[in-house]
Amino acid sequence: MKQTKQPAASEMRSVEQTIGKILRWGVVVAAIIMILGLLLYLINGSLGVATNYHVKNFHEILFGILNGKPYAIMMAGIFALILTPVLRVVVSIYSFYREHDSLYVVITSLVLVILLTSFWLGIEFHL
Amino acid sequence: MLNSIMLMLLVGVFVGILGSILGIGGGMIITPVLTLGMGLDIKYAIGASLIAVIATSSGATIAYLRDNVLNLRVAMFLEIATSVGAIVGALLTGVLNPIFLYILFGLLLFFSGANMVRKLWGKNSDQITHTDDKIAQDLRLNGSYYDKNLHKEIDYGVTNVPTGFGIMFGAGIASGLLGIGSGAFKVIAMDTFMKMPLKPSSSTSNLMMGVTAAASATIYFFNGSILPQIAVPLALGIIVGAAVGSRIMQMMPTRLMRIIFIPILLYLGLQMILKGFGVTI
């Protein structure tokens, strides 16, 4: 059992290294956007939107960013952060595929499908 | 404005350190600070907690993946149970009386707290199980990690896979139905039921937590419960705290982790049971 275990452990190691690297970039990008928004909020002294306003779709975020609204930039950073776990699942599927671990390609793909289903349920039906 | 940003940054660093060490989200710290301390509506506290869970998860997972502490196969396999559970929980809102769930989960937290106390004082505390569990072997769940406190590579076996899977499903239902981060339950499923060592349990929970939270995050994102002026400094503080905490944890004796974890489990258990009876603390 020991002999079959060693190569499996090193395979897993490289999978984890790859995901770790990509995940770091995701977090860094999200953090940079959040810091920019926060700095702009501090400089302007306001969020640049009405008090009770909240964003309802991606167009509003894009429009807000183009108009240099601190609110929109900070929300974009938060959304980038929300995407990092999704990114983690997607990269895991690819890494397992590269390691010829078909069982875990199936398991991880199933996780992605469930995750996307819940996104869809949330956006369409406001679960 | 600057004061509240500084406060959120500091709270974030603290939550990030504690959360990344124990594999929990830190909603139990953030919610009282925001509602009691800053007089914010509970709706915004939940939104901020959700972002905090994702920030802790992503911030800590970087180090845990790099240092090979967490178990990616266990995470992905169990994530099926939690994410399906979360959807079922959301669907059951309004159908099921949450009282029973609060009490049930409160008792589970107490049971796990007691179990951890037993491990703390037991002779063979934190003995590694080497089992020939058929399901764990078929799913290749057994793993190993390098313990920076003991300075050695530790091979471990995983057992009671169906029970762990069931607890994870329950944890998912709880997070969907009650709107709680279920990090504590995730650690319990792995540490108490599947007999994994505490460090891989905590770091694997950290990875899973973010995926579960991301599933419901888009709803909160577009329904106005996320205040960026609160969530952004909190998240930035947490990313820093989690990066620090995930390094500290690897150096820590497992015993010390349990000593920190036990009162938190008991507090959470008490909080849930009281909530079941309509008392919020």
Side-chain angles (χ1 to χ4, degrees):
Chain A
M1 194 194 143
K2 262 273 175 272
Q3 253 137 14
T4 53
K5 204 173 173 191
Q6 280 327 100
S10 74
E11 263 174 37
M12 223 36 228
R13 188 106 188 89
S14 89
V15 172
E16 288 170 3
Q17 296 284 315
T18 314
I19 304 169
K21 269 182 208 145
I22 294 172
L23 187 60
R24 180 155 52 232
W25 279 106
V27 175
V28 167
V29 168
I32 290 172
I33 303 171
M34 287 193 284
I35 291 168
L36 287 177
L38 194 62
L39 286 177
L40 201 63
Y41 171 49
L42 278 168
I43 294 165
N44 287 5
S46 89
L47 292 169
V49 292
T51 321
N52 286 324
Y53 169 82
H54 75 257
V55 70
K56 287 171 205 70
N57 54 51
F58 294 111
H59 295 286
E60 287 181 25
I61 296 182
L62 196 63
F63 191 72
I65 293 171
L66 293 175
N67 284 294
K69 306 278 190 205
Y71 175 89
I73 298 170
M74 285 196 280
M75 288 302 271
I78 289 174
F79 197 76
L81 188 69
I82 292 175
L83 287 182
T84 54
V86 186
L87 184 70
R88 196 179 311 164
V89 178
V90 173
V91 180
S92 302
I93 297 174
Y94 177 70
S95 304
F96 281 126
Y97 166 75
R98 227 186 37 193
E99 306 293 341
H100 308 290
D101 190 340
S102 51
L103 175 64
Y104 276 85
V105 170
V106 173
I107 288 176
T108 315
S109 302
L110 191 58
V111 171
L112 185 66
V113 169
I114 298 166
L115 195 60
L116 294 177
T117 307
S118 72
F119 267 57
W120 174 71
L121 285 172
I123 293 169
E124 288 293 313
F125 301 101
H126 304 282
L127 262 188
Chain B
M1 183 172 91
L2 195 60
N3 283 345
S4 94
I5 290 176
M6 292 308 288
L7 177 67
M8 284 302 114
L9 277 171
L10 285 176
V11 170
V13 172
F14 179 69
V15 167
I17 292 176
L18 193 72
S20 59
I21 290 175
L22 301 180
I24 55 173
M28 54 174 283
I29 301 165
I30 294 160
T31 310
V33 169
L34 291 181
T35 52
L36 302 175
M38 295 179 72
L40 216 65
D41 194 296
I42 184 82
K43 171 182 152 180
Y44 300 121
I46 292 172
S49 295
L50 194 75
I51 298 305
V53 170
I54 298 176
T56 311
S57 170
S58 292
T61 298
I62 295 170
Y64 292 145
L65 276 170
R66 195 200 52 217
D67 299 335
N68 197 29
V69 191
L70 57 78
N71 191 324
L72 196 63
R73 288 204 177 90
V74 168
M76 288 305 169
F77 176 66
L78 294 180
E79 195 57 54
I80 295 173
T82 14
S83 48
V84 171
I87 294 177
V88 172
L91 288 170
L92 285 176
T93 316
V95 180
L96 215 70
N97 192 341
I99 291 176
F100 302 109
L101 270 170
Y102 275 120
I103 295 170
L104 184 72
F105 281 103
L107 291 174
L108 180 62
L109 287 165
F110 275 131
F111 166 74
S112 304
N115 192 64
M116 285 213 176
V117 171
R118 203 169 49 91
K119 276 194 182 173
L120 201 59
W121 273 293
K123 258 187 229 149
N124 301 322
S125 66
D126 293 307
Q127 200 182 38
I128 305 302
T129 22
H130 288 286
T131 56
D132 295 318
D133 190 292
K134 179 85 173 62
I135 304 171
Q137 276 182 3
D138 286 348
L139 289 166
R140 296 162 70 197
L141 295 177
N142 298 336
S144 69
Y145 76 102
Y146 184 79
D147 195 307
K148 287 187 182 171
N149 181 254
L150 303 171
H151 303 289
K152 64 176 182 189
E153 189 79 19
I154 293 178
D155 290 317
Y156 59 87
V158 177
T159 184
N160 294 332
V161 179
T163 315
F165 197 80
I167 298 281
M168 282 293 177
F169 183 68
I173 290 185
S175 64
L177 189 64
L178 311 176
I180 57 158
S182 46
F185 293 116
K186 291 188 170 85
V187 178
I188 289 169
M190 288 179 269
D191 174 82
T192 306
F193 292 95
M194 296 168 73
K195 313 279 183 218
M196 273 168 69
L198 191 56
K199 287 185 184 184
S201 296
S202 160
S203 54
T204 304
S205 166
N206 256 308
L207 180 135
M208 294 178 59
M209 237 166 40
V211 180
T212 317
S216 49
T218 41
I219 305 166
Y220 292 92
F221 189 80
F222 289 120
N223 77 6
S225 53
I226 291 168
L227 296 178
Q229 66 272 36
I230 301 281
V232 164
L234 192 63
L236 289 171
I238 286 175
I239 291 171
V240 175
V244 175
S246 51
R247 281 162 183 82
I248 296 175
M249 183 267 243
Q250 299 186 48
M251 315 280 185
M252 261 173 126
T254 302
R255 215 182 136 76
L256 181 60
M257 286 171 68
R258 289 200 193 279
I259 291 171
I260 304 172
F261 210 175
I262 290 165
I264 289 178
L265 284 181
L266 298 180
Y267 172 75
L268 277 176
L270 185 71
Q271 203 183 32
M272 292 210 94
I273 289 173
L274 285 176
K275 227 177 188 167
F277 290 111
V279 187
T280 306
I281 54 163

